Coordinates of all heavy atoms in Angstrom, one line a residue:
M1142 N -7.2 -10.6 -27.2 CA -7.3 -9.1 -26.9 C -7.3 -8.4 -28.2 O -6.5 -8.6 -29.1 CB -6.0 -8.8 -26.1 CG -6.3 -8.0 -24.8 SD -4.9 -7.3 -23.9 CE -3.9 -8.7 -23.5
D1143 N -8.2 -7.4 -28.4 CA -8.2 -6.6 -29.6 C -7.1 -5.5 -29.6 O -6.5 -5.3 -28.5 CB -9.6 -6.0 -29.8 CG -10.0 -5.1 -28.7 OD1 -9.3 -4.0 -28.5 OD2 -10.9 -5.4 -27.9
Y1144 N -6.9 -4.9 -30.7 CA -5.8 -3.9 -30.8 C -5.9 -2.8 -29.8 O -5.0 -2.4 -29.2 CB -5.8 -3.4 -32.3 CG -4.7 -2.4 -32.5 CD1 -3.3 -2.9 -32.5 CD2 -4.9 -1.1 -32.7 CE1 -2.3 -2.0 -32.7 CE2 -3.9 -0.2 -32.8 CZ -2.6 -0.6 -32.8 OH -1.5 0.2 -33.0
G1145 N -7.2 -2.3 -29.6 CA -7.4 -1.2 -28.7 C -6.9 -1.6 -27.3 O -6.3 -0.8 -26.6
M1146 N -7.3 -2.8 -26.9 CA -6.9 -3.3 -25.5 C -5.4 -3.6 -25.4 O -4.8 -3.3 -24.4 CB -7.7 -4.6 -25.2 CG -7.6 -5.0 -23.7 SD -8.1 -3.7 -22.6 CE -9.9 -3.9 -22.5
I1147 N -4.8 -4.0 -26.5 CA -3.3 -4.3 -26.5 C -2.6 -2.9 -26.3 O -1.7 -2.9 -25.5 CB -2.9 -4.9 -27.8 CG1 -3.4 -6.4 -27.8 CG2 -1.4 -4.9 -28.0 CD1 -3.3 -7.1 -29.2
R1148 N -3.1 -1.9 -26.9 CA -2.5 -0.5 -26.7 C -2.6 -0.1 -25.3 O -1.7 0.5 -24.7 CB -3.2 0.5 -27.6 CG -3.0 0.3 -29.1 CD -1.7 1.0 -29.7 NE -1.5 2.3 -29.2 CZ -1.8 3.4 -29.9 NH1 -2.2 3.4 -31.1 NH2 -1.5 4.6 -29.3
K1149 N -3.8 -0.3 -24.7 CA -4.0 0.0 -23.3 C -3.1 -0.8 -22.4 O -2.6 -0.2 -21.4 CB -5.5 -0.2 -22.9 CG -6.5 0.8 -23.6 CD -6.3 2.2 -23.1 CE -7.2 3.1 -23.8 NZ -6.9 4.5 -23.6
Y1150 N -2.9 -2.0 -22.7 CA -2.1 -2.9 -21.9 C -0.6 -2.4 -21.9 O 0.1 -2.4 -20.9 CB -2.2 -4.3 -22.3 CG -1.4 -5.3 -21.4 CD1 -1.8 -5.5 -20.1 CD2 -0.3 -6.0 -21.9 CE1 -1.1 -6.4 -19.3 CE2 0.4 -6.8 -21.1 CZ 0.0 -7.0 -19.8 OH 0.8 -7.8 -19.0
E1151 N -0.2 -2.0 -23.1 CA 1.2 -1.5 -23.2 C 1.4 -0.2 -22.4 O 2.4 0.0 -21.7 CB 1.5 -1.2 -24.7 CG 1.6 -2.4 -25.6 CD 2.7 -3.3 -25.1 OE1 3.8 -2.9 -24.8 OE2 2.5 -4.6 -25.1
K1152 N 0.3 0.6 -22.4 CA 0.4 1.9 -21.6 C 0.3 1.5 -20.1 O 1.0 2.2 -19.4 CB -0.9 2.7 -22.0 CG -0.8 4.2 -21.6 CD -1.9 4.9 -22.2 CE -1.8 6.4 -21.9 NZ -3.0 7.2 -22.5
A1153 N -0.4 0.5 -19.8 CA -0.5 0.1 -18.4 C 0.8 -0.3 -17.9 O 1.2 0.0 -16.7 CB -1.6 -1.0 -18.2
K1154 N 1.5 -1.1 -18.7 CA 2.9 -1.6 -18.3 C 3.8 -0.5 -18.0 O 4.6 -0.5 -17.1 CB 3.4 -2.6 -19.3 CG 2.8 -3.9 -19.3 CD 3.6 -5.0 -20.1 CE 3.7 -4.7 -21.5 NZ 4.3 -5.8 -22.3
Q1155 N 3.7 0.6 -18.9 CA 4.6 1.8 -18.8 C 4.2 2.5 -17.5 O 5.1 2.9 -16.7 CB 4.4 2.6 -20.0 CG 5.3 3.9 -20.0 CD 4.9 4.8 -21.2 OE1 4.4 4.4 -22.2 NE2 5.2 6.1 -21.0
Y1156 N 2.9 2.7 -17.2 CA 2.4 3.4 -16.0 C 2.9 2.7 -14.8 O 3.3 3.3 -13.8 CB 0.9 3.5 -16.0 CG 0.3 4.6 -16.8 CD1 -1.0 4.6 -17.1 CD2 1.1 5.7 -17.3 CE1 -1.6 5.6 -17.9 CE2 0.5 6.7 -18.0 CZ -0.8 6.7 -18.3 OH -1.4 7.7 -19.0
A1157 N 2.9 1.3 -14.8 CA 3.2 0.5 -13.6 C 4.7 0.7 -13.2 O 5.0 0.5 -12.1 CB 2.9 -0.9 -13.9
E1158 N 5.5 1.2 -14.2 CA 6.9 1.5 -13.8 C 7.1 2.9 -13.4 O 8.1 3.3 -12.9 CB 7.8 1.1 -15.0 CG 7.9 -0.4 -15.2 CD 8.7 -0.8 -16.5 OE1 9.3 0.1 -17.1 OE2 8.6 -2.0 -16.8
E1159 N 6.2 3.8 -13.8 CA 6.3 5.2 -13.4 C 5.5 5.4 -12.2 O 4.4 6.1 -12.2 CB 5.7 6.0 -14.6 CG 6.6 5.8 -15.9 CD 5.9 6.5 -17.1 OE1 4.8 7.0 -17.0 OE2 6.6 6.4 -18.2
T1160 N 6.0 4.9 -11.0 CA 5.2 4.9 -9.8 C 5.0 6.3 -9.2 O 4.1 6.5 -8.4 CB 5.9 4.1 -8.7 OG1 7.3 4.5 -8.6 CG2 5.9 2.6 -9.1
D1161 N 5.7 7.3 -9.7 CA 5.5 8.7 -9.2 C 4.1 9.2 -9.7 O 3.7 10.2 -9.3 CB 6.6 9.6 -9.6 CG 6.9 9.7 -11.1 OD1 6.6 8.7 -11.8 OD2 7.2 10.8 -11.6
R1162 N 3.5 8.5 -10.7 CA 2.2 8.9 -11.1 C 1.1 8.5 -10.1 O 0.0 9.0 -10.2 CB 1.9 8.2 -12.5 CG 2.6 8.7 -13.6 CD 2.2 7.9 -14.9 NE 2.9 8.3 -16.0 CZ 2.6 9.3 -16.8 NH1 1.5 10.0 -16.6 NH2 3.3 9.6 -17.9
I1163 N 1.4 7.6 -9.3 CA 0.4 6.9 -8.4 C 0.7 7.2 -7.0 O 1.8 7.1 -6.5 CB 0.5 5.4 -8.6 CG1 0.2 5.0 -10.1 CG2 -0.5 4.7 -7.7 CD1 0.6 3.7 -10.5
E1164 N -0.4 7.6 -6.2 CA -0.3 7.8 -4.8 C -1.6 7.2 -4.2 O -2.7 7.7 -4.5 CB -0.2 9.2 -4.4 CG 0.2 9.4 -2.9 CD 0.5 10.8 -2.5 OE1 1.6 11.3 -2.8 OE2 -0.4 11.4 -1.9
I1165 N -1.4 6.1 -3.5 CA -2.6 5.4 -2.9 C -3.1 6.3 -1.7 O -2.4 6.6 -0.8 CB -2.3 4.0 -2.5 CG1 -1.9 3.2 -3.7 CG2 -3.4 3.3 -1.7 CD1 -1.4 1.8 -3.4
Q1166 N -4.4 6.6 -1.8 CA -5.0 7.4 -0.7 C -5.6 6.6 0.4 O -5.6 7.1 1.5 CB -6.1 8.3 -1.4 CG -5.5 9.3 -2.4 CD -4.6 10.3 -1.9 OE1 -4.8 10.8 -0.8 NE2 -3.4 10.5 -2.6
S1167 N -6.2 5.5 0.1 CA -6.8 4.7 1.1 C -6.8 3.2 0.8 O -6.7 2.9 -0.4 CB -8.3 5.1 1.4 OG -9.1 4.8 0.3
M1168 N -6.8 2.4 1.8 CA -6.6 0.9 1.5 C -7.1 0.2 2.8 O -6.8 0.7 3.9 CB -5.2 0.6 1.3 CG -4.9 -0.7 0.7 SD -3.2 -1.2 0.5 CE -2.5 0.2 -0.3
L1169 N -7.8 -0.9 2.7 CA -8.2 -1.7 3.8 C -7.5 -3.1 3.6 O -7.8 -3.7 2.6 CB -9.7 -1.8 3.9 CG -10.3 -2.5 5.1 CD1 -9.9 -1.7 6.3 CD2 -11.8 -2.6 4.9
V1170 N -6.7 -3.5 4.6 CA -6.0 -4.8 4.4 C -6.3 -5.7 5.5 O -6.3 -5.4 6.7 CB -4.4 -4.4 4.5 CG1 -3.6 -5.7 4.3 CG2 -4.1 -3.4 3.4
S1171 N -6.5 -7.0 5.2 CA -6.6 -8.1 6.2 C -5.2 -8.7 6.3 O -4.7 -9.1 5.2 CB -7.6 -9.2 5.7 OG -8.9 -8.6 5.6
F1172 N -4.7 -8.7 7.5 CA -3.3 -9.1 7.6 C -3.2 -10.3 8.5 O -3.7 -10.3 9.7 CB -2.5 -7.9 8.3 CG -1.0 -8.0 8.1 CD1 -0.4 -7.0 7.4 CD2 -0.3 -9.0 8.7 CE1 1.0 -7.1 7.3 CE2 1.1 -9.1 8.5 CZ 1.7 -8.1 7.8
K1173 N -2.7 -11.4 8.0 CA -2.6 -12.6 8.8 C -1.3 -12.5 9.6 O -0.2 -12.8 9.2 CB -2.5 -13.9 7.9 CG -3.8 -14.2 7.2 CD -3.6 -15.4 6.3 CE -4.7 -15.5 5.3 NZ -4.4 -16.2 4.1
G1174 N -1.5 -12.1 10.9 CA -0.3 -12.0 11.8 C 0.1 -13.3 12.3 O -0.6 -14.3 12.0
K1175 N 1.2 -13.4 13.0 CA 1.7 -14.7 13.5 C 0.8 -15.3 14.4 O 0.6 -16.5 14.5 CB 3.1 -14.5 14.1 CG 4.2 -14.5 13.0 CD 5.5 -15.1 13.6 CE 6.4 -15.4 12.4 NZ 7.8 -15.3 12.8
N1176 N 0.1 -14.5 15.3 CA -0.8 -15.0 16.3 C -2.2 -14.8 15.9 O -3.0 -15.7 16.1 CB -0.5 -14.3 17.7 CG 1.0 -14.5 18.1 OD1 1.4 -15.7 18.0 ND2 1.6 -13.5 18.4
N1177 N -2.6 -13.6 15.4 CA -4.0 -13.3 15.1 C -4.1 -12.5 13.8 O -3.1 -11.9 13.4 CB -4.5 -12.4 16.2 CG -4.5 -13.0 17.6 OD1 -5.2 -14.1 17.8 ND2 -3.8 -12.5 18.5
P1178 N -5.2 -12.6 13.2 CA -5.4 -11.7 12.0 C -5.6 -10.3 12.5 O -6.1 -10.0 13.6 CB -6.7 -12.3 11.4 CG -7.4 -12.9 12.5 CD -6.4 -13.4 13.5
H1179 N -5.3 -9.3 11.7 CA -5.4 -7.9 12.0 C -6.0 -7.2 10.8 O -5.8 -7.6 9.7 CB -4.1 -7.3 12.4 CG -3.5 -7.9 13.7 ND1 -4.1 -7.6 14.9 CD2 -2.5 -8.7 13.9 CE1 -3.5 -8.3 15.8 NE2 -2.5 -8.9 15.2
T1180 N -6.7 -6.1 11.1 CA -7.2 -5.2 10.1 C -6.3 -4.0 10.1 O -6.1 -3.3 11.1 CB -8.6 -4.9 10.3 OG1 -9.4 -6.1 10.3 CG2 -9.1 -3.9 9.2
V1181 N -5.7 -3.7 8.9 CA -4.9 -2.5 8.8 C -5.5 -1.6 7.8 O -5.9 -2.0 6.7 CB -3.4 -2.9 8.4 CG1 -2.5 -1.7 8.4 CG2 -2.9 -4.0 9.3
E1182 N -5.6 -0.3 8.1 CA -6.2 0.6 7.2 C -5.3 1.8 6.9 O -4.7 2.4 7.8 CB -7.5 1.1 7.8 CG -8.4 1.9 6.9 CD -9.8 2.2 7.4 OE1 -10.0 2.1 8.6 OE2 -10.6 2.6 6.6
L1183 N -5.3 2.2 5.7 CA -4.6 3.5 5.3 C -5.7 4.5 5.1 O -6.6 4.4 4.3 CB -3.8 3.3 4.0 CG -3.1 4.5 3.5 CD1 -1.9 4.9 4.3 CD2 -2.6 4.3 2.0
K1184 N -5.5 5.6 5.8 CA -6.5 6.7 5.8 C -5.8 8.0 5.9 O -5.0 8.2 6.9 CB -7.5 6.5 7.0 CG -9.0 6.6 6.7 CD -9.7 6.1 7.9 CE -11.1 6.8 8.0 NZ -11.8 6.3 9.1
G1185 N -6.1 8.9 5.0 CA -5.4 10.2 5.1 C -3.9 10.1 5.1 O -3.2 10.9 5.8
G1186 N -3.4 9.1 4.4 CA -1.9 9.0 4.4 C -1.3 8.3 5.6 O -0.1 8.2 5.7
Q1187 N -2.1 7.9 6.6 CA -1.6 7.3 7.8 C -2.1 5.9 7.9 O -3.3 5.6 7.7 CB -2.1 8.1 9.0 CG -1.5 9.5 9.1 CD 0.0 9.6 9.4 OE1 0.4 8.9 10.3 NE2 0.7 10.4 8.6
W1188 N -1.3 4.9 8.3 CA -1.7 3.6 8.6 C -2.3 3.5 10.0 O -1.8 4.1 10.9 CB -0.5 2.6 8.5 CG 0.0 2.4 7.1 CD1 1.1 2.9 6.6 CD2 -0.6 1.6 6.1 NE1 1.2 2.4 5.3 CE2 0.2 1.7 5.0 CE3 -1.8 0.8 6.1 CZ2 -0.1 1.0 3.8 CZ3 -2.1 0.2 4.9 CH2 -1.3 0.3 3.8
H1189 N -3.3 2.6 10.2 CA -3.8 2.3 11.5 C -4.0 0.8 11.5 O -4.4 0.2 10.6 CB -5.2 3.0 11.6 CG -5.2 4.5 11.5 ND1 -4.9 5.3 12.6 CD2 -5.3 5.3 10.5 CE1 -4.9 6.5 12.2 NE2 -5.1 6.6 10.9
C1190 N -3.7 0.2 12.7 CA -3.8 -1.2 12.9 C -4.6 -1.5 14.2 O -4.5 -0.7 15.1 CB -2.4 -1.9 13.0 SG -2.5 -3.7 13.1
D1191 N -5.3 -2.6 14.2 CA -6.1 -2.9 15.4 C -5.3 -3.8 16.4 O -5.9 -4.2 17.4 CB -7.4 -3.6 15.0 CG -7.2 -5.0 14.4 OD1 -6.0 -5.4 14.2 OD2 -8.2 -5.6 14.0
C1192 N -4.0 -4.0 16.2 CA -3.2 -4.8 17.2 C -2.9 -3.9 18.4 O -2.9 -2.7 18.4 CB -2.0 -5.4 16.6 SG -0.6 -4.2 16.3
S1193 N -2.6 -4.6 19.5 CA -2.3 -3.9 20.8 C -1.0 -3.1 20.7 O -0.9 -2.0 21.3 CB -2.3 -4.9 22.0 OG -1.3 -5.9 21.7
F1194 N 0.0 -3.6 20.0 CA 1.3 -2.8 19.9 C 1.0 -1.5 19.3 O 1.5 -0.5 19.7 CB 2.3 -3.6 19.1 CG 3.7 -3.1 19.2 CD1 4.5 -3.5 20.2 CD2 4.1 -2.2 18.3 CE1 5.8 -3.0 20.3 CE2 5.4 -1.6 18.4 CZ 6.3 -2.0 19.4
F1195 N 0.2 -1.5 18.2 CA 0.0 -0.2 17.5 C -0.7 0.8 18.4 O -0.5 2.0 18.3 CB -0.9 -0.5 16.2 CG -1.1 0.8 15.4 CD1 -0.2 1.2 14.4 CD2 -2.2 1.6 15.7 CE1 -0.4 2.3 13.7 CE2 -2.4 2.8 15.0 CZ -1.5 3.2 14.0
Q1196 N -1.6 0.3 19.3 CA -2.4 1.2 20.1 C -1.5 2.0 21.1 O -1.8 3.1 21.4 CB -3.4 0.4 21.0 CG -4.4 -0.5 20.2 CD -5.0 0.1 19.0 OE1 -5.5 1.3 19.1 NE2 -5.0 -0.5 17.8
T1197 N -0.4 1.4 21.5 CA 0.5 2.1 22.4 C 1.7 2.8 21.7 O 2.1 3.8 22.2 CB 1.2 1.1 23.4 OG1 1.8 0.0 22.7 CG2 0.1 0.5 24.3
R1198 N 2.1 2.3 20.5 CA 3.3 2.9 19.8 C 3.0 3.6 18.6 O 3.8 4.3 18.0 CB 4.3 1.8 19.6 CG 4.7 1.0 20.8 CD 5.5 1.9 21.8 NE 6.7 2.4 21.1 CZ 7.9 1.7 21.1 NH1 8.0 0.6 21.6 NH2 8.9 2.3 20.5
G1199 N 1.8 3.5 18.0 CA 1.4 4.2 16.8 C 2.1 3.7 15.5 O 1.9 4.3 14.4
R1200 N 2.7 2.5 15.6 CA 3.4 1.9 14.5 C 3.6 0.5 14.9 O 3.9 0.2 16.1 CB 4.7 2.6 14.2 CG 5.0 2.7 12.7 CD 6.2 3.7 12.5 NE 6.6 3.5 11.1 CZ 7.9 3.8 10.7 NH1 8.7 4.3 11.6 NH2 8.2 3.7 9.5
C1201 N 3.5 -0.5 14.0 CA 3.7 -1.9 14.4 C 4.3 -2.7 13.2 O 4.5 -2.1 12.1 CB 2.4 -2.5 14.8 SG 1.2 -2.5 13.5
S1202 N 4.6 -3.9 13.4 CA 5.2 -4.8 12.4 C 4.3 -4.8 11.1 O 4.7 -4.9 10.0 CB 5.5 -6.2 12.9 OG 4.4 -6.8 13.4
H1203 N 2.9 -4.8 11.4 CA 2.0 -4.9 10.3 C 2.0 -3.6 9.4 O 2.1 -3.7 8.2 CB 0.6 -5.1 10.8 CG 0.6 -6.2 11.9 ND1 0.3 -6.0 13.2 CD2 0.9 -7.5 11.8 CE1 0.4 -7.1 13.9 NE2 0.8 -8.0 13.1
T1204 N 2.0 -2.5 10.1 CA 2.0 -1.2 9.3 C 3.4 -1.0 8.6 O 3.4 -0.5 7.5 CB 1.7 0.0 10.2 OG1 2.6 0.2 11.2 CG2 0.3 -0.1 10.8
M1205 N 4.4 -1.4 9.3 CA 5.8 -1.2 8.7 C 5.9 -2.2 7.5 O 6.6 -1.8 6.6 CB 6.8 -1.4 9.8 CG 6.9 -0.3 10.8 SD 8.4 -0.3 11.8 CE 7.8 -1.4 13.1
A1206 N 5.4 -3.4 7.6 CA 5.5 -4.3 6.5 C 4.8 -3.7 5.2 O 5.3 -3.8 4.1 CB 4.8 -5.6 6.8
L1207 N 3.6 -3.1 5.5 CA 2.9 -2.5 4.4 C 3.6 -1.2 3.8 O 3.6 -0.9 2.7 CB 1.4 -2.2 4.8 CG 0.6 -3.5 5.1 CD1 -0.6 -3.2 5.8 CD2 0.3 -4.2 3.8
E1208 N 4.2 -0.5 4.8 CA 5.0 0.7 4.3 C 6.1 0.2 3.4 O 6.4 0.8 2.3 CB 5.7 1.4 5.5 CG 4.8 2.2 6.4 CD 5.4 2.7 7.6 OE1 6.6 2.6 7.8 OE2 4.7 3.1 8.5
L1209 N 6.8 -0.9 3.7 CA 7.8 -1.5 2.8 C 7.3 -1.9 1.5 O 7.8 -1.7 0.5 CB 8.6 -2.6 3.6 CG 9.4 -2.2 4.8 CD1 9.9 -3.5 5.5 CD2 10.6 -1.4 4.3
L1210 N 6.2 -2.7 1.6 CA 5.6 -3.3 0.4 C 5.1 -2.2 -0.6 O 5.3 -2.3 -1.8 CB 4.4 -4.1 0.8 CG 3.7 -5.0 -0.2 CD1 4.7 -5.9 -0.9 CD2 2.6 -5.8 0.4
F1211 N 4.5 -1.1 -0.1 CA 4.0 -0.1 -1.0 C 4.8 1.2 -1.0 O 4.3 2.3 -1.3 CB 2.5 0.2 -0.6 CG 1.6 -1.0 -0.8 CD1 1.2 -1.7 0.3 CD2 1.2 -1.3 -2.0 CE1 0.4 -2.8 0.1 CE2 0.3 -2.4 -2.2 CZ -0.1 -3.2 -1.1
K1212 N 6.1 1.1 -0.6 CA 6.9 2.3 -0.4 C 6.9 3.2 -1.7 O 7.0 4.4 -1.5 CB 8.3 2.0 0.0 CG 9.1 1.2 -1.0 CD 10.5 0.9 -0.4 CE 11.4 0.1 -1.2 NZ 11.0 -0.7 -2.3
D1213 N 6.8 2.7 -2.9 CA 6.8 3.5 -4.1 C 5.5 4.3 -4.4 O 5.6 5.2 -5.2 CB 7.2 2.6 -5.3 CG 8.6 2.1 -5.2 OD1 9.4 2.7 -4.4 OD2 8.9 1.0 -5.8
V1214 N 4.5 3.9 -3.8 CA 3.2 4.5 -4.1 C 2.4 5.1 -2.9 O 1.2 5.4 -3.0 CB 2.3 3.5 -4.9 CG1 2.8 3.2 -6.2 CG2 2.1 2.2 -4.1
L1215 N 3.1 5.2 -1.8 CA 2.5 5.8 -0.6 C 3.2 7.1 -0.2 O 4.4 7.2 -0.5 CB 2.5 4.8 0.6 CG 1.6 3.6 0.4 CD1 1.9 2.7 1.6 CD2 0.2 4.0 0.4
P1216 N 2.5 8.0 0.4 CA 3.2 9.2 0.9 C 4.3 8.8 1.9 O 4.2 7.7 2.5 CB 2.1 10.0 1.6 CG 0.8 9.4 1.2 CD 1.1 8.0 0.8
E1217 N 5.3 9.6 2.1 CA 6.4 9.3 3.0 C 5.8 9.0 4.4 O 5.0 9.8 4.9 CB 7.4 10.4 3.1 CG 8.3 10.5 1.9 CD 9.3 9.4 1.8 OE1 10.0 9.1 2.8 OE2 9.4 8.7 0.8
P1218 N 6.2 7.9 5.1 CA 5.7 7.7 6.5 C 6.3 8.8 7.4 O 7.4 9.2 7.3 CB 6.2 6.3 6.8 CG 7.3 6.1 5.9 CD 7.1 6.9 4.7
T1219 N 5.5 9.2 8.4 CA 6.0 10.1 9.4 C 6.3 9.3 10.7 O 5.6 8.4 11.0 CB 4.9 11.2 9.7 OG1 3.7 10.5 10.1 CG2 4.7 12.1 8.5
A1220 N 7.4 9.6 11.3 CA 7.8 8.9 12.5 C 6.9 9.2 13.6 O 6.4 10.4 13.8 CB 9.2 9.4 12.9
P1221 N 6.5 8.2 14.4 CA 5.6 8.4 15.5 C 6.2 9.2 16.7 O 7.4 9.3 16.8 CB 5.2 7.0 16.0 CG 6.3 6.1 15.6 CD 6.9 6.8 14.3
Ligands
LIG2756 ZN1 -0.4 -4.1 14.0

C-alpha cells in the first residue's frame, strides 16, 4: 500500500467508528431463512420481505434481524 492509500485507510477506520456519518438508503439482501430463502429490501427507510409473515404483519424475523445488524447505520424503525 502506498502512503496515499495508507492515509485513506486510516481515515476509513475512523469513519467506520463514526456511524452517525452514515445512513444506508437502500439495500437488497438474500436471506437464508430456516425453511426458505427470502429476499429482503430496504427502500425509502423501510424494510420489505417476501415471506408470508411479513405480508400480514409488516415486520418479520428477517427484517428484525437486519434492523439489529444495521442498527447504527439505518433510520429508526417505525412500529407497524
Ligand atoms: Zn421475512
Side-chain angles (χ1 to χ4, degrees):
M1142 235 188 299
D1143 62 66
Y1144 181 69
M1146 190 57 83
I1147 289 167
R1148 295 270 317 256
K1149 293 293 180 193
Y1150 184 66
E1151 291 300 318
K1152 197 172 185 180
K1154 285 199 292 189
Q1155 183 187 335
Y1156 278 166
E1158 289 176 10
E1159 297 170 356
T1160 52
D1161 58 327
R1162 290 178 179 275
I1163 300 162
E1164 190 173 284
I1165 297 176
Q1166 298 296 317
S1167 66
M1168 195 185 311
L1169 187 64
V1170 179
S1171 297
F1172 201 116
K1173 288 178 195 155
K1175 276 213 166 146
N1176 302 312
N1177 297 300
H1179 295 290
T1180 300
V1181 186
E1182 187 171 17
L1183 177 71
K1184 223 168 155 182
Q1187 297 289 315
W1188 288 106
H1189 301 272
C1190 182
D1191 65 0
C1192 77
S1193 57
F1194 191 89
F1195 184 89
Q1196 307 312 313
T1197 55
R1198 303 293 300 274
R1200 220 168 165 204
C1201 63
S1202 56
H1203 315 113
T1204 62
M1205 287 190 276
L1207 292 166
E1208 285 170 14
L1209 290 170
L1210 186 58
F1211 294 103
K1212 65 183 179 340
D1213 293 336
V1214 288
L1215 292 174
E1217 285 290 308
T1219 52

